[in-house]
Amino acid sequence: MNGTRSDIAGRADLDVLLRRFYTAAFADPLIGPFFTRIAGTDLEAHLPRITDFWEQALFRTARYEGNALAPHAAVHSVRPLTAEDFGRWVQLWRATVDGLYAGPLAERAKDQGERIALTLHRRLAGGDAPLTGQGPGFVPLAALELRSSLV
């Protein structure tokens, strides 16, 4: 291999990406507890559904028929998801994509992840919820909002 990363090409690549991402997210001290303790997420059960979601988002297939907001709302009702939590999710998502893939679909995956984080945060915490936070590696959602408004 020449060190050049290929683009996300299909479901098999999404499986690799999502396994790596969720392995990191489950182990993360900030957002891991949302997956492991609060939601009790079983990675093997979650992967087919979330892969369907991302396959639809990136390749415009019609496989995903779920409600992405509902599980996040259930978690949020137990322990509120903050801008800092979503910022950490974005940081891990972008790092995972960048570590594995490069190209137009990889860029779309990162952009889509940012839009999802902003949308979920607004829907769960309210449109006027602060988009700021702190902590190591925090990705301010306000910066994501600014970047998306410039595109």
Side-chain angles (χ1 to χ4, degrees):
M1 183 162 177
N2 63 11
T4 304
R5 292 169 289 138
S6 61
D7 203 357
I8 300 168
R11 190 171 181 92
D13 290 339
L14 289 174
D15 185 67
V16 170
L17 171 67
L18 292 165
R19 279 181 188 282
R20 185 170 294 180
F21 169 74
Y22 280 104
T23 297
F26 280 31
D28 186 77
L30 180 62
I31 66 171
F34 288 107
F35 295 103
T36 59
R37 286 191 291 228
I38 297 170
T41 306
D42 174 344
L43 184 58
E44 292 307 314
H46 183 59
L47 275 172
R49 287 190 302 266
I50 197 69
T51 303
D52 286 349
F53 174 86
W54 281 103
E55 189 175 20
Q56 179 179 348
L58 296 179
F59 300 110
R60 309 293 190 240
T61 64
R63 295 183 76 131
Y64 182 76
E65 297 179 4
N67 175 350
L69 180 62
H72 296 90
V75 167
H76 186 74
S77 71
V78 174
R79 181 173 152 208
L81 291 154
T82 67
E84 189 168 1
D85 300 323
F86 283 110
R88 180 63 175 159
W89 186 97
V90 167
Q91 180 190 37
L92 292 173
W93 179 246
R94 291 185 65 83
T96 306
V97 173
D98 285 341
L100 292 169
Y101 302 105
L105 287 170
E107 291 303 313
R108 186 186 302 164
K110 292 185 294 186
D111 292 345
Q112 186 70 16
E114 291 176 2
R115 282 191 295 275
I116 290 166
L118 281 167
T119 300
L120 286 174
H121 178 62
R122 285 201 175 99
R123 299 234 8 230
L124 295 172
D128 58 349
L131 298 176
T132 57
Q134 55 194 357
F138 175 66
V139 178
L141 292 180
L144 301 181
E145 180 181 51
L146 177 61
R147 184 167 70 216
S148 68
S149 69
L150 297 174
V151 179

